[in-house]
Amino acid sequence: MHYKLLKNRTLGKNNNWDSYYLNLKDKSTSVVLMSLIKKVLDKGFDGLFLDNIDNFSSFGPQAKQRKELIALIKKIKTEYPNQVLVQNSGLELIPDTKNFIESVLFESVATDYTFQGNSYKLRETNDFNERIKRIKEINTKYKIPVLLIEYADTKQLYDQIVKRLASTDFDYFIGKIDLQSVPNFTK
């Protein structure tokens, strides 16, 4: 249903998630999005999860649309000031979005899922430490709550993630990459 409204406002496909990149430079895209947001919030939801914000960072496929993304997030918050906005990733955009979001979520900080080969694994220690350091700096500087989502397919990996994240104060969830069910890590 939503795709039909936006299919002519895309810039290419994200093959990992079988989804499309929206062209935020097309003014009608934000009109359609605001209409869809209104329909969602009119159903009684108390906020929105702003996924794939990292696409608009320096090395993301939509880096040249950063200004339009920030304007859209500001518009959402202006029109719906009491709604909770959770930003997914986009660490470098937080200085621009901090006044419009209630929290930021990061995926795969302790883990490193690979789409090619569909493999779950623990992230290298140095890489994990550097990521946590940057996230803690943002959390401290901007006082924005941080949430983490990690991915595991075995009890052993789940336990390693729990041990690794014990040194942080961040709330987290551990699931399988599709996030379609509550995981049961018993083996």
Side-chain angles (χ1 to χ4, degrees), residues 69-101:
L69 172 74
I70 294 164
L72 177 62
I73 293 172
K74 181 179 181 181
K75 182 176 180 135
I76 295 167
K77 194 59 170 182
T78 300
E79 290 194 26
Y80 303 100
N82 298 319
Q83 301 297 328
V84 174
L85 299 182
V86 177
Q87 175 175 318
N88 185 10
S89 200
L91 188 71
E92 73 181 61
L93 278 76
I94 292 173
D96 297 314
T97 61
K98 69 183 183 314
N99 295 324
F100 315 119
I101 62 172

Side-chain angles (χ1 to χ4, degrees), residues 119-135:
S119 64
Y120 295 82
K121 64 182 177 182
L122 208 56
R123 186 171 293 285
E124 294 293 328
T125 303
N126 290 340
D127 191 8
F128 166 73
N129 290 336
E130 184 58 35
R131 287 169 186 263
I132 285 294
K133 178 183 170 192
R134 289 193 331 254
I135 291 169

